[in-house]
């Protein structure tokens, strides 16, 4: 009788240990980290990405932004130039917005009137400007990763990308891997 | 805490974030929290409605103690104690 109880106890203890291991494994696999795939090059969507990223960083969450495709327009420095582009890359460079202040809205763009109105409202309502947001992001250590493949595809060169302290170039598997260990992942 | 108790608190740091909208107040609060010692009280002034929900959430996550909010004329005074 007594040995049966001892056995059961030992069994329970084993199960508890196994559970404990599982829980700590789960806890360790998900860091307090936010990964956002920023794919859109619309002013409103870049704005939303930055606001969420800043709010997370203010909460001490590690933030990793992965910029790809049209979103690269937001990272172009309007004062920088790049040489040695082929014809189509040059065309893309001319036709796409040059920098975060030149982006259009996904709705109500109205040939550029919409962004002007939004920026006016942002100033009036004391919303941080897009420039301030990038500055704050840099100070808070928010990481920006540029999709190497998108850069190549759109014909952008590293020389025309903004100066930003935590900037790097990588591939999609970097986003996937970091997304896996993040407790929150977004696609904008 | 009642409004009277909150108003009578000795505040180590007052952050006036009335000139900025979401997520500005939280960013300013984060910067300011590093300048006070553990157990000290900080107040955040914000005219942004969202901040009165955001700050208590931030406190819960960071382990600081949210003490309460006093509504002033057109803005909020949000009190918290650093962990």
């Amino acid at each position: 009788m007594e040995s049966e109880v001892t056995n059961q106890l030992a069994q329970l203890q084993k199960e508890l240990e196994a559970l404990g291991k599982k829980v700590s494994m789960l806890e360790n696999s998900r860091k307090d980290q936010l990964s956002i795939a920023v794919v859109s090059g619309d002013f409103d969507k870049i704005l939303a990405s930055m606001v969420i990223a800043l709010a997370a960083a203010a909460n001490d969450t590690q933030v990793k932004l992965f910029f790809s495709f049209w979103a690269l327009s937001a990272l172009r420095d309007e004062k920088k130039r790049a040489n040695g582009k082929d014809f189509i890359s040059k065309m893309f460079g001319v036709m796409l917005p040059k920098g975060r202040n030149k982006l259009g809205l996904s709705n109500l763009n109205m040939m550029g009137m919409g962004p002007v109105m939004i920026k006016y409202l942002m100033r009036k309502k004391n919303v941080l400007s897009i420039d301030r947001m990038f500055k704050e992001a840099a100070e808070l250590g928010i990481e920006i990763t540029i999709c190497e493949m998108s850069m190549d595809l759109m014909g952008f060169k590293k020389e025309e990308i903004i100066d930003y302290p935590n900037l790097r170039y990588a591939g999609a598997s970097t986003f996937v891997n970091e997304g896996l260990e993040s407790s929150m992942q977004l696609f904008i | 805490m009642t409004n009277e108790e909150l108003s009578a608190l000795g505040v180590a740091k007052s952050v006036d974030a009335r000139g900025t909208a979401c997520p500005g107040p939280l960013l300013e609060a984060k910067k300011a929290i590093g300048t006070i010692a553990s157990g000290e009280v900080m107040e955040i002034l914000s005219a942004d409605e969202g901040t009165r929900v955001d700050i208590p959430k931030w406190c819960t996550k960071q382990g600081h103690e949210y003490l309460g909010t006093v509504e002033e004329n057109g803005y909020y005074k949000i009190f918290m104690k650093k962990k």
Side-chain angles (χ1 to χ4, degrees):
Chain A
M1 185 64 189
E2 218 168 273
S3 68
E4 209 174 287
V5 173
T6 321
N7 267 344
Q8 273 180 337
L9 266 177
Q11 186 70 27
L12 272 173
Q13 200 162 4
K14 255 189 204 164
E15 280 175 24
L16 256 178
E17 273 170 27
L19 261 175
K21 264 187 200 161
K22 257 190 191 166
V23 167
S24 65
M25 202 181 78
L26 278 172
E27 276 174 347
N28 293 336
S29 69
R30 287 291 174 94
K31 288 192 238 169
D32 183 10
Q33 181 172 292
L34 162 68
S35 286
I36 309 184
V38 191
V39 181
S40 162
D42 299 316
F43 183 70
D44 41 336
K45 291 177 186 170
I46 297 293
L47 208 59
S49 308
M50 294 311 286
V51 171
I52 295 168
L54 288 174
N59 277 288
D60 281 343
T61 298
Q62 174 76 32
V63 181
K64 289 166 185 272
L65 303 177
F66 186 77
F67 275 72
S68 87
F69 230 85
W70 305 115
L72 294 186
S73 292
L75 301 179
R76 295 175 79 199
D77 190 319
E78 51 182 324
K79 285 183 221 88
K80 290 188 188 170
R81 288 186 157 275
N83 297 317
K85 288 190 182 185
D86 61 42
F87 178 69
I88 294 183
S89 295
K90 264 186 204 160
M91 291 289 289
F92 257 73
V94 171
M95 290 187 294
L96 289 170
K98 201 160 185 186
R100 58 193 177 224
N101 282 303
K102 299 277 161 58
L103 303 175
L105 286 174
S106 61
N107 280 305
L108 297 174
N109 191 45
M110 304 179 294
M111 317 266 286
M113 269 304 290
V116 172
M117 281 154 69
I118 283 287
K119 281 172 195 163
Y120 167 75
L121 287 175
M122 281 168 71
R123 273 198 305 277
K124 207 174 140 196
K125 309 264 182 197
N126 295 318
V127 178
L128 297 179
S129 72
I130 192 89
D131 288 340
R132 261 295 295 285
M133 284 190 194
F134 270 81
K135 202 175 150 265
E136 294 277 351
E139 278 170 19
L140 287 164
I142 291 175
E143 233 176 65
I144 291 183
T145 304
I146 294 181
C147 169
E148 184 90 59
M149 185 270 273
S150 295
M151 274 286 276
D152 196 35
L153 190 70
M154 319 282 274
F156 290 150
K157 301 231 170 189
K158 289 181 183 173
E159 302 95 271
E160 59 186 307
I161 296 299
I162 54 165
D163 296 316
Y164 186 87
N166 310 303
L167 191 93
R168 56 177 185 164
Y169 298 84
S173 49
T174 296
F175 172 73
V176 171
N177 278 311
E178 289 178 350
L180 276 174
E181 60 186 34
S182 300
S183 47
M184 188 180 183
Q185 308 96 354
L186 299 174
F187 184 91
I188 302 181
Chain B
M1 277 184 149
T2 64
N3 280 8
E4 288 73 32
E5 283 172 316
L6 287 170
S7 302
L9 279 173
V11 174
K13 177 102 190 163
S14 178
V15 181
D16 189 351
R18 283 175 290 179
T20 179
C22 170
L26 196 55
L27 289 173
E28 291 192 23
K30 182 194 156 70
K31 281 178 195 161
I33 194 89
T35 67
I36 65 168
S38 174
E40 284 186 323
V41 175
M42 183 166 90
E43 64 170 5
I44 299 121
L45 314 186
S46 174
D48 182 61
E49 182 88 36
T51 311
R52 62 185 304 189
V53 182
D54 286 358
I55 297 279
K57 282 218 162 80
W58 174 58
C59 287
T60 309
K61 183 164 183 262
Q62 303 301 323
H64 307 306
E65 192 187 341
Y66 166 67
L67 301 174
T69 302
V70 176
E71 215 173 320
E72 295 281 333
N73 212 358
Y75 67 94
Y76 305 101
K77 257 186 190 168
I78 305 159
F79 295 88
M80 57 172 291
K81 192 192 255 177
K82 184 171 175 175
K83 73 165 171 193

